[in-house]
C-alpha cells in the first residue's frame, strides 16, 4: 500500500490504522498531531481510523522551546 506521508510517497505493508502508522514509524503519539485526508484525528481515534492505499497523512511533531 502507498501512503503519502508529509508529502512523500511511502510504500508500507500490514498497516491498517493510524495507530499502526504511528507504531511503524516509532512515533510517540503524545507529542504528535495527525491530519488524515485533510481531517485532524483525535489521538483516541488513531486505533479506529483505517488507512487505505493513496491516503494523505500529515504528521506534526510538537517541539519544546521558545522564550
Amino acid at each position: 500500500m502507498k501512503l503519502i506521508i508529509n508529502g512523500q510517497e511511502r510504500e508500507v505493508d500490514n498497516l491498517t490504522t493510524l495507530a499502526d502508522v504511528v507504531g511503524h514509524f516509532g512515533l510517540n503519539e503524545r507529542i504528535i498531531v495527525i491530519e488524515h485526508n485533510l481531517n485532524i484525528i483525535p489521538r483516541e481515534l488513531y486505533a479506529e481510523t483505517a488507512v487505505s492505499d493513496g491516503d494523505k497523512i500529515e504528521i506534526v511533531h510538537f517541539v519544546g522551546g521558545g522564550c
Side-chain angles (χ1 to χ4, degrees), residues 23-48:
H24 179 79
F25 290 103
L27 303 171
N28 180 345
E29 69 178 32
R30 291 187 299 172
I31 61 169
I32 61 172
V33 173
I34 297 178
E35 180 185 278
H36 178 235
N37 293 332
L38 303 177
N39 295 302
I40 302 294
I41 306 300
R43 183 179 312 132
E44 60 271 14
L45 297 180
Y46 290 175
E48 301 172 19

Side-chain angles (χ1 to χ4, degrees), residues 11-12 16-19 27 32-34 36 39 43 48 51-52 63 67:
E11 183 73 34
V12 294
T16 59
T17 67
L18 287 179
L27 303 171
I32 61 172
V33 173
I34 297 178
H36 178 235
N39 295 302
R43 183 179 312 132
E48 301 172 19
V51 294
S52 302
V63 177
C67 305

Side-chain angles (χ1 to χ4, degrees), residues 1 6 8-9 16-17 19-20 22 24 32-33 35-36 45 47 49 52 55-56 58 60 62 66:
M1 167 172 57
N6 291 353
Q8 296 184 344
E9 187 173 292
T16 59
T17 67
D20 294 336
V22 170
H24 179 79
I32 61 172
V33 173
E35 180 185 278
H36 178 235
L45 297 180
T49 304
S52 302
D55 280 1
K56 295 179 181 175
E58 295 290 326
V60 178
F62 292 109

